[in-house]
Amino acid sequence: MDKMKKFYGLLASDFMKLAGMKSVYIGLGIMVFLTLIFGLAQNAFSALLQEMPDSGAPVDPGAADALTGVFVNTMLNGAPSATGVFFLLPIIAALFVGSEFSSGMARLYIGRGVQKTELYTSKFIVLSVLSVIYVCLAFAMCSIAAAASDIGEDTMRNIAAYTPSAFGSYVFLAVAMSAVYTAVCFALRSKAASMATLIAMLIVLGDILVIVVQIALGTSVTGEENAAGFVYMLFDPYYCADAFAAARDFTAREAGIAYGGCAMWLVLFFTGGLVLNAKRDVK
């Protein structure tokens, strides 16, 4: 019982520390800003399409609505990507965990009888909760922006049909990515090194690797020309940060690869990081 109370006390302390970090609120401000930019860009594009008939270039209303819907679909169903959630979270995670070691708090906790596995688990839980909150807020912000967009009801209804599956997928991805952030931050134990490594992983695994595979397979941007090979990119959680916007259209095979891959990385990074941290001394 005393051990559980100690852990809950540690967990409460971590939540209070996170709530006091300016970077958390700066991240929220950036998300609001990006949502506004996306919304303004959509409105400007919609206004441009409406003005084109006056310039002698007739535009089919249905086609114009579909083009505008592309903006809204990208913003709403890919809300975490549109608002930079998976770029902001690694930075916050690096600052949150790294400060524990740079300030000597980790050593102090261990000296007071907190187990290293408890310290690790507490950070993982806190980062997971923050990640899920960011995902929820991203969808909330983008839902408001989408509701204010100038598109037809039928188009909006079709777009919104993808939102529940996209939302659930991104929540799961947020927890999986939290395991990655926690493992890397505890392995490096430095704010600068953790931040640089996590951002590098985002760029290499989320952008460069996708481009290299596309070139190797001779695929289009969506990979449709060689889906049999490109489908395995869904093992990459960084690629799923964009792909989950269309989770409603996943085949059984695609869903198995995507969700199975996220579950695999969640278990591997959490377990691996936990074991590695338990074997290392806190300096």
Side-chain angles (χ1 to χ4, degrees), residues 132 180 209:
V132 171
V180 176
L209 178 62

Side-chain angles (χ1 to χ4, degrees), residues 30-39 71-86 88 138-139 142 170 241-242 245:
I30 293 173
M31 289 169 60
V32 172
F33 176 73
L34 292 175
T35 303
L36 289 174
I37 293 297
F38 235 106
F71 271 86
V72 177
N73 181 65
T74 301
M75 177 177 63
L76 178 57
N77 295 322
S81 292
T83 55
V85 166
F86 294 110
L88 297 168
F139 273 95
C142 291
Y170 277 114
D242 291 321

Side-chain angles (χ1 to χ4, degrees), residues 234-246:
L234 291 170
F235 271 125
D236 180 0
Y238 291 93
Y239 174 71
C240 288
D242 291 321
F244 275 156

Side-chain angles (χ1 to χ4, degrees), residues 80-81 84-90 135 170 173-174 177 181 202 238 241:
S81 292
V85 166
F86 294 110
F87 176 80
L88 297 168
L89 286 173
V135 167
Y170 277 114
L173 178 63
M177 295 305 294
Y181 304 150
L202 176 65
Y238 291 93

